[in-house]
Amino acid sequence: MPRRSLRTEELLSGRRKKLVALLQEDGRMSLTELGRRLGISHVGVKKHLDRLISSGLLKVTACLDVRKLGARLLVLLCEVEPDRLVELLRTFAMCPRVVFLTTLIGPYNLMAILVAEAPGLVKIMALGACCLRRVEGIRRSELYLVDDVLYPSGLPVKVTAEKKAELTPCGLDCSSCDFYARGECPACPATTWYKGPL
């Protein structure tokens, strides 16, 4: 058996597995409450938690409920030219509307899940200047509107507290966009032009 599998099994053995399950129920549960449920001290819980985090197996993060945000999700499938794939992965990873990004094996080699946090953004993200489908190097693509999010309720939607950038991470200028000028688009959440909830 590969060494990595043994290590993962060791990291997720016994109490650590139950600790992760409890945190998945309620990520804000106190160390004292976690210890009570696990039958160990809060110091013991902290040691297990620190080990899981330092190993890179567990990451504590804030997620937003897209339904409560009033947002819609889109699934983008792309066939990207092989010599452009790594560059496009870097660009898409910086996009504040991308909540999930992966490569695929099959007719499409890239998939992204995008969040449209304002009314009208679905159309703009499908057809507008900031449409990821129009990026150079994408041979073909399909875009699907998600009907309803069943699981999970929270997604890692990027929130930029201090908006200092004039240009989007992909290099566009929202101030010169017709959709933005007409008030149909709140602009990119990473820029100073943004007028939306993120």
Side-chain angles (χ1 to χ4, degrees):
M1 200 176 250
R3 185 177 181 149
R4 186 172 181 172
S5 294
L6 291 173
R7 183 177 171 164
T8 301
E9 287 173 12
E10 177 188 308
L11 282 170
L12 269 182
S13 63
R15 286 195 174 115
R16 289 185 186 148
K17 187 179 283 187
K18 189 166 182 187
L19 172 60
V20 171
L22 288 169
L23 288 171
Q24 287 176 332
E25 281 178 33
D26 180 2
R28 296 189 55 174
M29 198 177 297
S30 70
L31 294 177
T32 304
E33 179 60 19
L34 288 166
R36 187 187 69 72
R37 293 201 190 186
L38 292 170
I40 61 176
S41 71
H42 70 281
V43 175
V45 172
K46 178 131 175 46
K47 285 181 182 177
H48 284 298
L49 197 53
D50 287 346
R51 178 73 175 111
L52 287 166
I53 291 170
S54 68
S55 72
L57 184 63
L58 178 70
K59 184 175 182 179
V60 179
T61 185
C63 293
L64 296 178
D65 187 323
V66 291
R67 291 170 294 196
K68 292 186 179 176
L69 187 62
R72 299 298 307 265
L73 293 178
L74 299 106
V75 176
L76 174 66
L77 299 171
C78 299
E79 179 189 354
V80 180
E81 294 171 4
D83 59 333
R84 296 267 300 148
L85 184 59
V86 173
E87 182 184 342
L88 286 185
L89 285 170
R90 281 192 211 112
T91 301
F92 283 24
M94 293 186 304
C95 178
R97 291 197 171 103
V98 172
V99 296
F100 182 84
L101 182 64
T102 188
T103 55
L104 300 171
I105 297 172
Y108 294 102
N109 56 359
L110 183 142
M111 182 182 91
I113 298 178
L114 313 162
V115 63
E117 78 282 3
L121 265 177
V122 171
K123 179 179 123 183
I124 294 164
M125 290 169 71
L127 306 169
C130 62
C131 172
L132 295 178
R133 301 167 74 182
R134 295 173 56 184
V135 175
E136 184 182 335
I138 295 179
R139 291 180 182 156
R140 66 186 173 124
S141 65
E142 291 185 27
L143 189 66
Y144 297 92
L145 181 61
V146 173
D147 181 42
D148 191 16
V149 178
L150 305 174
Y151 178 86
S153 60
L155 291 171
V157 178
K158 297 175 187 126
V159 176
T160 307
E162 295 184 30
K163 301 174 186 329
K164 297 178 180 177
E166 293 289 319
L167 299 178
T168 67
C170 58
L172 297 175
D173 180 0
C174 291
S175 67
S176 64
C177 173
D178 290 339
F179 288 108
Y180 180 73
R182 291 193 303 261
E184 295 175 38
C185 179
C188 174
T191 67
T192 57
W193 309 105
Y194 186 64
K195 297 176 180 173
L198 300 178

